[in-house]
Amino acid sequence: MRRYQLFLIETGATPPTINHAVTALRFLFQVTLHRPEVMQPIPFVPEPRKLPVVLSPDEVARLLEAAPTLKAKAALSVAYSYGGT
């Protein structure tokens, strides 16, 4: 099982794809084949966290200056300062 996981990594599979394969194999061995000991040592691959894109102060100033009205400028200011998650 570990060799298959390494094969997926070598072929460029993303962490979610690898984790889906591990989940499917765990189900196969634990539920269908009643052999849970085969899949116990196989861990999930952690997904890397992505940092959000942050505009520079100059870019924010240009963005706000491009707003056609005061209302649009206020909406952009609130939306950018909120950041979202």
Side-chain angles (χ1 to χ4, degrees):
M1 293 304 130
R2 181 69 179 149
R3 266 195 261 161
Y4 178 66
Q5 193 178 26
L6 292 173
F7 167 77
L8 289 174
I9 292 169
E10 289 172 5
T11 58
T14 62
T17 301
I18 296 167
N19 291 336
H20 286 143
V22 170
T23 301
L25 289 170
R26 281 186 180 177
F27 181 84
L28 172 69
F29 282 98
Q30 291 177 355
V31 176
T32 307
L33 301 176
H34 303 289
R35 301 265 323 265
E37 70 279 356
V38 175
M39 290 303 295
Q40 291 303 329
I42 304 297
F44 286 106
V45 176
E47 294 187 42
R49 291 186 168 196
K50 295 180 184 176
L51 295 176
V53 175
V54 179
L55 299 177
S56 71
D58 291 336
E59 291 172 323
V60 173
R62 285 192 318 200
L63 175 70
L64 295 178
E65 288 172 9
T69 64
L70 183 60
K71 186 176 180 180
K73 186 179 285 193
L76 283 173
S77 296
V78 170
Y80 185 75
S81 65
Y82 168 70
T85 52

